[in-house]
Amino acid sequence: MLNYIWFGMMAISVVAAIFTGRIDAVTEAAINMSKTAVEISIGLIGIMALWLGIMKIAEESGLIKIIARGLRPITIRLFPDVPADHPAIGSIVLNMAANMLGLGNAATPLGLKAMEELQELNPKKDTATNAMVMFLAINTSSVQLIVPATVVALMGVAASQIFITTILATLCSTVTAIFMVKMLEKTKTFSVENAS
Amino acid sequence: MIESIVGSLNAGAKYIIPLLLVGIPFYALSVKKVKVYEVFVAGAKDGFTIAVRIIPYLVAILVAVGMFRASGALDLLLNFMAPVLNFIGFPPENLPLALMRPLSGSGSLGLLTDLVNEHGADSLTAKIGATMFGSSETTFYVLAVYFGSVAVTRSRHALVAGLTADAVGALSAVFFCKLLLT
């Protein structure tokens, strides 16, 4: 799937650029974005180290287990393949909490830790498991309880009005994400055997 | 009423991270006698490896997204989709943002800024835009980073599910803003 989408996006770009006369801009974007990608990754090192360190403390002290146990009734339904007391559940829950509160900086390291722990349970290392896809889908459609700081800065007083609409819209998108994942994971096209 | 709730939520939000940074080691140290400094360093060590591991995946996705944005393909897609979206009552001014959101965080923030500057923060267009921005993630970026960090290349139904959720998020943003804010 990603093979076609990745190639498709680049091929469409080049064809479209020929029509719009923006071929130079496309070349420039390709070169600049490869630079940006590295800058983003390198920039993550510090934040990653900070949160992974704090997470390790939370793990050693048993905090993660307590959180995971508390939310077991929900997580067992969303991630039936992950044992209820597995450390991945703790990281997943913390990542979701960080996302809901709009703490993007904390959410990414927690999410990557969760992925690492989910990968331990994965029998086919290059293919996403049901739990991984569910986690990713919930993550990208996350319920947003706090309007992002950038939006508050932009909107000023009007930001308070979009508080409820944002919660409602994200609720709809999260429900859709869960429904789509549960439905698609059973289809043949997206099965682990046929995975692409 | 809502304003005071939002105000206190946003005021409270800035205490969350400092509280976690102090609260977690405090609990570990006082209740479980964990050697917090040593454990922190041991955990933090992985930060570098993970960050470096995602580089090739991020380069692949961001280059494709960057080319797509620069080529004007997005505008062609807009022209193509406009009649359908007009039909279901989707405001055309909000369409570029809806399409940009899953592709690029900085790009969609730029579009939102344009909407606010052009129509004013009090306009329905800006409110719909801000709701859309807050209710969706940069799906392509998250996919590349999360799967890349564990070297998963076969993503199965992740992209389809994520993009469907984005589309529903954008449509519900329009729906709820029209319902509640007009």
Side-chain angles (χ1 to χ4, degrees), chain A residues 2-104:
Chain A
L2 267 182
N3 290 314
Y4 295 109
I5 289 179
W6 184 66
F7 171 73
M9 277 177 91
M10 290 197 294
I12 291 170
S13 307
V14 172
V15 174
I18 293 170
F19 284 107
T20 54
R22 294 196 205 166
I23 198 76
D24 286 337
V26 169
T27 311
E28 205 187 309
I31 292 164
N32 283 342
M33 283 312 250
S34 54
K35 230 187 263 173
T36 308
V38 176
E39 282 162 13
I40 291 177
S41 308
I42 299 296
L44 269 178
I45 295 176
I47 307 164
M48 288 289 300
L50 173 62
W51 283 106
L52 291 179
I54 292 290
M55 277 293 283
K56 189 89 176 167
I57 297 175
E59 213 179 292
E60 294 267 314
S61 65
L63 265 177
I64 304 278
K65 266 216 171 98
I66 296 172
I67 295 166
R69 227 173 276 151
L71 288 155
R72 196 170 166 168
I74 303 168
T75 54
I76 203 112
R77 281 181 181 80
L78 291 174
F79 308 98
D81 309 329
V82 183
D85 56 349
H86 195 273
I89 296 290
S91 305
I92 287 173
V93 168
L94 289 176
N95 166 274
M96 286 181 190
N99 263 330
M100 286 185 194
L101 299 173
L103 308 173

Side-chain angles (χ1 to χ4, degrees), chain B residues 7 24 26 123:
Chain B
I24 293 172
F26 175 76
S123 65

